[in-house]
Amino acid sequence: MLAAGATGEIIKVAIHTEANVPVYIVDFGEALLIGCLEEEITVL
């Protein structure tokens, strides 16, 4: 997918209903949208 440390922009937050955890939709550019879990995101 992407190398660790890739920079993106959070564009939407959703909730996984069965696990009750937030899923962040992150735009990494060039039409590449990836769903990330909270522990996979670092704020700069």
Side-chain angles (χ1 to χ4, degrees):
M1 289 219 173
L2 295 171
T7 302
E9 179 181 355
I10 297 172
I11 59 170
K12 188 173 186 177
V13 180
I15 298 292
H16 185 288
T17 54
E18 290 179 20
N20 197 32
V21 295
V23 177
Y24 297 85
I25 308 304
V26 182
D27 182 356
F28 289 97
E30 299 181 24
L32 181 60
L33 301 176
I34 297 179
C36 298
L37 299 174
E38 197 165 28
E39 61 265 14
E40 298 174 317
I41 297 174
T42 303
V43 179
L44 298 176

